[in-house]
Amino acid sequence: METIYTESEIDKVAAAVIAKAPNKTLLFRAPMGAGKTTLIKAIAKNLGVSDAGNSPTFGIVNEYQNENGQLLAYHFDFYRLNDETEALDMGLEDYLNQGVYVFIEWPEKIESFLPLDSSEIEIEIIDIHTRRIKLKE
């Protein structure tokens, strides 16, 4: 899947990602300010998350649930990670084995520990309003 979009089309793009991703671990590769968190929030909303909240940059991980409290996804932001073993120390393997969606921003920070069955999502900044997304299926 490859498409060009603006923020007004984000819900349509999020639904397409859910429909076309072959698994539930999604790796978001993009420069700072490309809209990784915005897209993840839209995906979470499409999955039925009641409150997608903010980027977990300062807390590293957010847990997303539906209105009934059912766990739907984890959202990791590894930007501030200094060493990839920190991800293991926080229990990354346990999170990955929950059978729910796992959204990972800055996956290059934990390259050695990424599941082989992850879906790669690249976001490219075209201009201030426009992005190109590539989902490697």
Side-chain angles (χ1 to χ4, degrees), residues 80-134:
R80 297 191 183 278
L81 218 61
N82 295 314
D83 182 279
E84 69 180 355
T85 58
E86 290 177 43
L88 290 181
D89 293 342
M90 64 176 283
L92 177 65
E93 291 174 317
D94 292 332
Y95 287 106
L96 293 172
N97 293 317
Q98 296 286 323
V100 299
Y101 277 87
V102 177
F103 311 127
I104 299 177
E105 294 187 53
W106 305 100
E108 56 274 15
K109 295 278 202 159
I110 61 161
E111 207 71 51
S112 299
F113 305 119
L114 295 173
L116 296 176
D117 62 348
S118 301
S119 294
E120 299 264 344
I121 296 173
E122 293 179 9
I123 303 172
E124 174 188 347
I125 300 171
I126 294 177
D127 63 34
I128 193 165
H129 301 289
T130 312
R131 304 293 187 259
R132 174 181 288 122
I133 184 173
K134 294 178 187 176

Side-chain angles (χ1 to χ4, degrees), residues 48-65:
V49 170
S50 58
D51 179 18
N54 299 314
S55 173
T57 299
F58 295 102
I60 297 187
V61 64
N62 279 345
E63 184 177 294
Y64 297 148
Q65 302 174 347

Side-chain angles (χ1 to χ4, degrees), residues 1-7 9-21 26-31 34-40 42-43 119-127 129-137:
M1 175 186 124
E2 181 175 338
T3 191
I4 294 174
Y5 67 97
T6 61
E7 192 169 350
E9 301 167 299
I10 197 88
D11 286 328
K12 182 175 93 175
V13 171
V17 168
I18 293 167
K20 295 182 186 264
L26 307 178
L27 311 178
F28 293 82
R29 298 185 188 273
K36 294 180 293 295
T37 300
T38 302
L39 178 57
I40 290 169
I43 293 169
S119 294
E120 299 264 344
I121 296 173
E122 293 179 9
I123 303 172
E124 174 188 347
I125 300 171
I126 294 177
D127 63 34
H129 301 289
T130 312
R131 304 293 187 259
R132 174 181 288 122
I133 184 173
K134 294 178 187 176
L135 169 64
K136 297 179 183 177
E137 300 174 54

